[in-house]
Amino acid sequence: MIWFEEKGVQYGKRAPIIRAPFSRGTHALVAVFLLLGLVAGPTLMERLAPTDPARIYGGIPATYGNYATIGAEIARPGKIDVLIIGASDAWTSLDPRIIRDQLQQRYGREMRVLNLSTNWGGDERNAQVLADVLRTHDVSLVLFPETDAAPLAPHELAKYWWRGDLETSGLPRRNQAQLQLMSIIGWPRQIWSRFQTPATAPMQDSYRSYLQMQLQNLGFNVARTGWKSHSEPNEASRRPYVELDAPPPLLTGAALFYGGPSDQSFEIRPSPYTPMQTTFVVAARDMTRAQGGVFATFSIPTHFSSVPLERPWIRDHEGVTRDWPTFGISQTNLFAGYSFDQMLNFYGNESHFNESGARAFTRATLPAIEELYAQANAD
């Protein structure tokens, strides 16, 4: 392979000319330094002069979900009592308004409870959001959902918010390279975000109204849709949404927690979490504990098929012992006394509650959440 042009070499007029990429050694060195700067630049910039996370999330196009809400809440000072971060199944399952009201009644003071979940699963996104929140906020209790997805690559929108400030050395090299590429692709936007603020970022009036609604709902996605299966293509077959109230089952917090590998009341799904997921769930656990909070996960009775879920489900993490609390409730316990067809009226589809279902799930799991919050504030 010819890397440098040789002086005096004659090239035939008819033969195709393939010139060497460099004519001088200094040109090669400049190219190498430019390449290294491009690869390492985003990470170095973030470590030496971190970007205001509120600007990062405020600059993500509003069409992608809850990111403007995340940016606006990060910009607000004050302690956070309970923080929920996950994908859309978590976004539509735990209603922070119900949790806040319950904790305020119990402790007699104002509580701040947020659901900063948004569309599409990605534990590296969840860990990044948590890291950005913890830069400026103390958080008592952090809740991540158990997830049925098994991504082998970074979140599709990582180019917007991944900045290389989380540890990735435990990931497969392929995932490390993918995340580094995401930070390179997103570098121009992240530089641009330094000159924007959430207040001045361009946003259509309809999205600004949506942001105000999300802030009012504490980040929660109020889904008022009736049942339609993922497998049904005809939107006209969707059932109308009906406001329903399912009485919460009389379960103690202890009855809701996973008791370990011998606990037969939980189902262990056969496919373990991917290295991407495990790495960032463990990172979230460690970040939460490092600032004195409690980290826990919760199992949502979703991702079912033609029969109701008789046990809450979880998935194992290969090589990592689950040393954090996990709570959940089965579909049959949550909607005891209902037929399977009646249960469907609490869902928008197989993977999302509607508002009635979220209300039922949140009220049923309150004993576990209260117990975890009490542990986080034992002093």
Side-chain angles (χ1 to χ4, degrees):
M1 180 179 290
I2 300 173
W3 288 99
F4 299 97
E5 291 187 3
E6 298 180 28
K7 292 183 179 180
V9 174
Q10 300 294 321
Y11 298 94
K13 293 182 179 180
R14 295 182 180 178
I17 298 175
I18 303 176
R19 295 197 178 275
F22 307 111
S23 59
R24 300 175 62 181
T26 52
H27 294 173
L29 285 175
V30 169
V32 169
F33 281 118
L34 285 175
L35 181 61
L36 289 175
L38 182 63
V39 172
T43 302
L44 286 175
M45 183 178 75
E46 186 61 27
R47 293 185 184 278
L48 296 175
T51 314
D52 178 2
R55 297 188 180 204
I56 289 287
Y57 297 109
I60 296 176
T63 53
Y64 292 132
N66 210 26
Y67 291 102
T69 313
I70 295 171
E73 290 292 359
I74 288 176
R76 289 180 55 209
K79 176 184 175 180
I80 298 173
D81 293 284
V82 182
L83 178 62
I84 304 150
I85 307 177
S88 57
D89 52 357
W91 194 16
T92 53
S93 65
L94 278 182
D95 189 333
R97 301 168 300 179
I98 295 174
I99 299 171
R100 177 200 59 189
D101 292 348
Q102 179 70 15
L103 292 178
Q104 287 182 168
Q105 181 178 349
R106 177 171 176 176
Y107 289 91
R109 62 178 177 84
E110 185 175 347
M111 295 282 177
R112 189 177 179 192
V113 182
L114 299 174
N115 190 330
L116 297 186
S117 307
T118 191
N119 288 330
W120 309 349
D123 283 291
E124 78 280 11
R125 187 269 315 277
N126 302 340
Q128 182 70 68
V129 172
L130 177 60
D132 290 333
V133 170
L134 291 178
R135 289 186 188 189
T136 51
H137 296 74
D138 289 328
V139 182
S140 291
L141 175 60
V142 174
L143 300 177
F144 272 30
E146 296 289 318
T147 176
D148 192 59
L152 300 173
H155 191 283
E156 293 90 334
L157 301 180
K159 61 185 178 183
Y160 289 109
W161 41 257
W162 181 259
R163 304 184 297 285
D165 58 339
L166 295 183
E167 180 60 50
T168 61
S169 59
L171 287 174
R173 292 188 182 276
R174 176 172 175 266
N175 293 143
Q176 293 183 47
Q178 290 169 329
L179 285 168
Q180 187 63 35
L181 180 61
M182 285 293 189
S183 65
I184 294 170
I185 294 172
W187 198 12
R189 174 173 283 273
Q190 289 168 21
I191 292 174
W192 170 83
S193 72
R194 292 169 181 262
F195 303 98
Q196 298 287 319
T197 66
T200 62
M203 186 183 294
Q204 296 178 7
D205 288 342
S206 60
Y207 287 118
R208 211 168 282 283
S209 299
Y210 175 75
L211 170 60
Q212 293 304 314
M213 181 183 68
Q214 287 298 103
L215 291 172
Q216 182 179 348
N217 295 333
L218 310 180
F220 176 62
N221 186 356
V222 179
R224 293 192 175 95
T225 53
W227 166 261
K228 183 181 81 69
S229 173
H230 283 306
S231 62
E232 172 54 63
N234 184 9
E235 182 63 28
S237 68
R238 183 179 295 281
R239 297 181 187 180
Y241 173 73
V242 179
E243 196 78 17
L244 298 171
D245 258 322
L250 300 177
L251 296 175
T252 63
L256 296 167
F257 284 104
Y258 173 60
S262 62
D263 187 351
Q264 297 300 309
S265 64
F266 275 70
E267 172 196 348
I268 309 296
R269 294 209 161 167
S271 57
Y273 284 105
T274 65
M276 278 280 292
Q277 292 175 303
T278 296
T279 295
F280 290 109
V281 168
V282 170
R285 175 202 67 185
D286 293 345
M287 286 187 288
T288 303
R289 291 178 178 176
Q291 59 93 57
V294 168
F295 175 83
T297 58
F298 60 100
S299 175
I300 313 168
T302 54
H303 301 91
F304 52 85
S305 54
S306 57
V307 294
L309 300 173
E310 296 184 353
R311 294 182 293 171
W313 56 265
I314 59 174
R315 291 163 59 206
D316 282 333
H317 294 267
E318 287 187 324
V320 173
T321 301
R322 183 186 290 265
D323 65 351
W324 58 87
T326 298
F327 64 90
I329 186 170
S330 70
Q331 198 173 10
T332 50
N333 279 337
L334 180 58
F335 302 115
Y338 290 82
S339 68
F340 181 54
D341 186 68
Q342 290 172 328
M343 293 178 191
L344 300 181
N345 292 314
F346 292 89
Y347 292 83
N349 50 46
E350 289 89 344
S351 51
H352 299 90
F353 280 122
N354 58 29
E355 187 181 18
S356 293
R359 185 187 308 115
F361 177 67
T362 306
R363 288 175 176 172
T365 55
L366 272 175
I369 296 171
E370 288 186 87
E371 187 171 317
L372 291 168
Y373 186 76
Q375 293 175 16
N377 294 272
D379 55 349

